[in-house]
Amino acid sequence: MSRHPADPRSRIIVVGAGIAGLTAAFRLQTLGYDVTVLECEDHVGGRMRTISHQGYRLDLGAIWLSQGYSHMLSLASDAGLTAHIEPTSSTIGLVRDGLVHRLRLDRRSDLARTRLLSMRSKVRALALLRDGAKARPLLSWDDLSTAAQLDSEDARAYALRRLNPELLDYLIDPLSRVCYFLPPEQVSAAGIHIGMSTLFGAGTFNFTDGIDTLPRLLADQLTVTLGARVIHVRQNTNGVQVRWEDAQRHRRTENAAACVLAVPAPTAANLVPDLPDTHRDYLAGLEYLHGAHIYFGVTRPVEEEATFVVFPTRENPHVSYVVFHPRCSPGRVPPGHGLVTIKLDGELGEKHRHTDDPQVAADALDCLDDVLPQAAHHIRSHLDMTFVHRWEQAIVHRSAGGYHLLQQFTGSYPSSSRIQFAGDHMSFSSTNAAIATGQSAAQRTAHALHREGKEMDELR
Ligand SMILES: Cc1cc2nc3c(=O)[nH]c(=O)nc-3n(C[C@H](O)[C@H](O)[C@H](O)COP(=O)(O)OP(=O)(O)OC[C@H]3O[C@@H](n4cnc5c(N)ncnc54)[C@H](O)[C@@H]3O)c2cc1C
């Protein structure tokens, strides 16, 4: 970030202690601002959250991290947290005709060698790699409105136009299910290049004690008030006024020079009563998909070389991925134990939104019987713990045209405003992209305050 000398009297309030908000707060504090983070929950991290449950550490939202997450790695380094990072296996499995085909994400040659795809499809896949190489300079993680140029059709139409039905079924569909929780026809084609460049080409890593290590230890370096539900944020002549309710439901009002709103888009729309209609409509109308993870703790790890096994819809419409610990991430299980996480999809995922936990867990195991019978048998024989976690607002949905709407929003929202937005709704639902948006919001806020400071000096 470029540095401006901060006016030490400039107080900034960041709303939301997810990774985007904590990043914005950390960057602004480093620039010398007096920053307070207000978080409505009793914990930090938002969707980057880990809980302890019966001796297991369960990552409830984000699970998987790429060595290509450059914003995350530099944040961890700047905050002195690299000692908490460990490289992990980059092997994933993709299923076809009941067989798991394993690939290392950091070895392009594995894609060339795999029996997952026919030789004809591998040759067609070169078009995908070429399109991806052209797309890469357009992918700016802090503001993916840059991807609008790739957003003229849905991912299925793109795959059928540029690739072939086999690549659609065994590469594009599973990618879409993993990254967007939806089939390709409901996802923008831009999402394919975003997903490919996120997943392929780099190894993986994780935090040693839970995905929440980063937000938790960042928060330790900041002033964070938990149980603080922000009710509204108004810009005035001196800066901003923030109204919030504490854990005892006492209302408070605070003034600050600026505010970064790092909450989900529909919440952000509600918090700023003076937003112009076009900006409010965009934020309020942005759709989030729900999602649930089902966890099975076992007294012996499942023998599976892949960290993730991913299922094309053709293989199973109900299960999109299964994650195996401790391979995927260290420090999550009691010594000698294993942990398997299942993500259900499609109609079953929809039905489970309103089903009780034991039934969801039983259905998930039944589904696993169909796709990985040995793993299902192992879980039944060594079961130690089950847990279900649901997210109502899991990830942002952008169908074809969605990046154009984002472009209209970011292109017209004033970068000089004392209220700036951060969060994955400005980009792609990943921890790294959320961090990039937090950094960028910090930068815009610092610029806005610096510019106003200079203008005031010139008036004096
Ligand atoms: C099931 C699932 C799986 C995922 N898998 C991965 C993965 O493997 N890898 C990956 O990189 N990413 C993954 N993601 C995406 C990633 O977790 C998110 O994109 C990222 O964490 C979003 O961060 P954020 O700060 O933008 O939002 P959030 O984490 O949602 O933070 C927003 C914060 O604002 C707070 N807040 C809301 N309203 C108010 C208010 N009125 N006042 C005060 N505070 C408020 C919330 O409590 C929350 O703490 C996954 C997400 C989910 C749900």
Side-chain angles (χ1 to χ4, degrees):
M1 279 185 67
S2 60
R3 283 182 162 267
H4 298 303
D7 177 345
R9 289 161 303 171
S10 293
R11 178 155 188 255
I12 298 175
I13 294 180
V14 173
V15 184
I19 196 60
L22 292 170
T23 303
F26 178 77
R27 293 302 186 198
L28 286 163
Q29 181 173 281
T30 308
L31 291 176
Y33 292 99
D34 169 14
V35 186
T36 302
V37 183
L38 300 177
E39 165 59 48
C40 63
E41 298 291 342
D42 62 0
H43 56 264
V44 300
R47 281 168 280 161
M48 210 175 167
R49 182 163 186 224
T50 308
I51 59 159
S52 294
H53 184 72
Q54 296 181 17
Y56 296 82
R57 298 277 294 152
L58 308 179
D59 296 324
L60 299 185
I63 292 184
W64 178 95
L65 305 172
S66 165
Q67 298 277 3
Y69 279 10
S70 55
H71 296 285
M72 179 178 279
L73 290 170
S74 39
L75 175 67
S77 164
D78 294 347
L81 304 177
T82 38
H84 300 271
I85 286 175
E86 257 186 47
T88 52
S89 161
S90 71
T91 303
I92 62 150
L94 277 153
V95 178
R96 181 168 186 172
D97 302 328
L99 277 182
V100 181
H101 297 266
R102 296 176 184 85
L103 314 167
R104 288 162 296 177
L105 293 170
D106 49 348
R107 305 281 167 90
R108 275 183 193 268
S109 53
D110 282 12
L111 207 51
R113 272 201 292 264
T114 179
R115 293 189 173 188
L116 172 75
L117 300 168
S118 67
M119 188 46 83
R120 236 175 109 240
S121 286
K122 287 178 192 170
V123 173
R124 291 300 299 175
L126 292 175
L128 178 65
L129 298 181
R130 274 196 298 273
D131 290 353
K134 274 196 224 148
R136 212 164 270 247
L138 299 174
L139 304 180
S140 173
W141 299 114
D142 62 323
D143 171 7
L144 268 175
S145 61
T146 48
Q149 289 181 57
L150 309 164
D151 184 26
S152 55
E153 60 193 335
D154 67 58
R156 182 174 191 276
Y158 166 81
L160 291 177
R161 182 175 60 79
R162 288 287 288 159
L163 311 173
N164 67 16
E166 188 187 359
L167 283 163
L168 169 64
D169 286 344
Y170 293 101
L171 191 59
I172 303 300
D173 172 279
L175 178 89
S176 184
R177 293 183 95 190
V178 167
C179 292
Y180 304 104
F181 297 3
L182 281 175
E185 54 272 26
Q186 293 183 49
V187 170
S188 163
I192 291 311
H193 302 301
I194 292 165
M196 284 292 290
S197 74
T198 301
L199 292 182
F200 288 96
T204 53
F205 71 95
N206 220 299
F207 289 92
T208 42
D209 186 34
I211 205 109
D212 74 335
T213 303
L214 180 62
R216 222 172 1 93
L217 298 187
L218 263 186
D220 286 350
Q221 302 179 33
L222 296 163
T223 304
V224 181
T225 306
L226 297 175
R229 178 173 299 280
V230 172
I231 302 159
H232 81 225
V233 181
R234 275 211 155 93
Q235 197 161 334
N236 57 29
T237 42
N238 300 321
V240 294
Q241 186 193 65
V242 178
R243 294 207 77 189
W244 58 281
E245 208 170 66
D246 68 17
Q248 287 71 45
R249 310 206 66 172
H250 297 134
R251 293 239 162 152
R252 293 164 186 265
T253 303
E254 297 196 38
N255 294 306
C259 174
V260 175
L261 267 179
V263 297
T267 308
N270 275 334
L271 293 188
V272 189
D274 303 327
L275 263 188
D277 284 349
T278 46
H279 295 141
R280 179 192 321 289
D281 290 350
Y282 170 74
L283 292 169
L286 198 63
E287 190 192 348
Y288 283 66
L289 299 164
H290 64 89
H293 279 152
I294 300 116
Y295 303 81
F296 298 97
V298 279
T299 51
R300 276 197 234 160
V302 177
E303 282 184 26
E304 171 51 61
E305 197 191 325
T307 54
F308 258 72
V309 175
V310 183
F311 297 89
T313 310
R314 254 179 193 281
E315 287 294 317
N316 194 293
H318 304 306
V319 181
S320 53
Y321 57 77
V322 181
V323 188
F324 295 95
H325 301 272
R327 289 192 80 79
C328 179
S329 33
R332 307 304 201 263
V333 296
H337 286 223
L339 177 67
V340 178
T341 306
I342 300 179
K343 163 90 179 44
L344 293 179
D345 215 349
E347 276 172 34
L348 206 56
E350 194 59 43
K351 178 183 134 198
H352 281 153
R353 225 168 151 180
H354 311 291
T355 308
D356 61 13
D357 291 357
Q359 186 61 51
V360 175
D363 286 352
L365 257 189
D366 287 347
C367 284
L368 201 64
D369 274 330
D370 295 335
V371 289
L372 292 175
Q374 283 178 342
H377 177 72
H378 181 100
I379 291 173
R380 288 205 167 85
S381 311
H382 302 285
L383 189 62
D384 184 34
M385 175 282 294
T386 57
F387 188 81
V388 177
H389 185 77
R390 297 170 174 83
W391 294 94
E392 262 315 301
Q393 287 181 317
I395 60 168
V396 174
H397 176 208
R398 279 191 227 284
S399 51
Y403 293 90
H404 287 281
L405 296 176
L406 175 62
Q407 191 177 46
Q408 282 162 20
F409 173 75
T410 58
S412 60
Y413 190 82
S415 61
S416 57
S417 172
R418 298 287 191 109
I419 301 174
Q420 291 295 332
F421 298 98
D424 62 350
H425 63 86
M426 313 278 288
S427 184
F428 158 60
S429 279
S430 84
T431 50
N432 185 58
I435 287 170
T437 69
Q439 283 178 178
S440 179
Q443 201 154 28
R444 289 192 302 276
T445 304
H447 275 288
L449 294 179
H450 179 68
R451 193 165 44 225
E452 280 195 17
K454 264 175 77 175
E455 281 163 9
M456 293 295 284
D457 287 348
E458 279 160 18
L459 281 178
R460 274 189 207 120

